[in-house]
Amino acid sequence: MVTPCTSGRHDHHDIYAAQCPCREVLDLLANKWSALAIGAMEEGPQRFGALQRRLEGVSPKVLTSTLRRLEDKGFVSRTIYPAVPLHVEYALTDLGRSVARPLAQLRLWVENHIDEIAQA
Amino acid sequence: MVTPCTSGRHDHHDIYAAQCPCREVLDLLANKWSALAIGAMEEGPQRFGALQRRLEGVSPKVLTSTLRRLEDKGFVSRTIYPAVPLHVEYALTDLGRSVARPLAQLRLWVENHIDEIAQA
DNA sequence: GAAGTTACTTTCCTTTGGGAAGTAACTGCC
DNA sequence: GGCAGTTACTTCCCAAAGGAAAGTAACTTC
């Protein structure tokens, strides 16, 4: 049996249910590069190059796909300024600004507790 | 140039720095199965089979490796009760209970905002 | 001695992630 | 005219991680 994602008239979603659309969204947000990219954009709209420099070690390929998926779900907007040289800005939407809070808490938790974490 | 992870005498860590150990930890925690498993264990110690049923759709292989990595970093303890049939319990450590809070906020955010998210 | 229970491991295949290099569009500059 | 410079990506290739299915091990109960 597959647990349904919603139950009752209050449309309560269960992220533990395999079929829940929440799963797909969690998979997108609970991701190293998504968490870092959204954090970077909290400081204001960012250009592709700026994000690439900020998220040290990200390849352009992975950054592009991360931003595209965030855009598809409505967390990020992509604006092209056809100036020369080409100028593309990525910014958080209202939804993106909303999810930035819990993601920031997770990033801060890691920074604040790293010393307590036993390393191999 | 590679941004150092820590700077100054206050040992401030920067999760955006590629070499920071925070990165490794973020990669472990900012993960669908880790976030769900830690949430499940908030309700108390859980056996392997119980976790597998709760995290609908997880394969035993992936569940094992998720739990092992969480154990390695000190978020989860693994206790074997050599009863028959074999009984293994996974429980959050203090550190695990601490990080469970921000992860719960992320899961709840997703459940509460799923209706606002534009699906393809 | 066959079946059941729990907790995995193994195998195989697909998907995702990472590094390096290439492309496209357009502006200067010589 | 043509070559370097800038920005924002693609493309290619390989390695690592994720997922489905089946197998294993230890021990009890029927």
Side-chain angles (χ1 to χ4, degrees), chain B residues 31-52:
Chain B
N31 166 284
K32 182 177 53 173
W33 296 126
S34 291
L36 293 173
I38 288 174
M41 287 183 281
E42 269 192 286
E43 295 162 18
Q46 302 285 327
R47 302 179 57 169
F48 188 88
L51 286 171
Q52 202 180 324

Side-chain angles (χ1 to χ4, degrees), chain B residues 47 49 64 78 86 88 90:
Chain B
R47 302 179 57 169
T64 302
R78 180 172 182 265
L86 184 61
V88 179
Y90 295 91

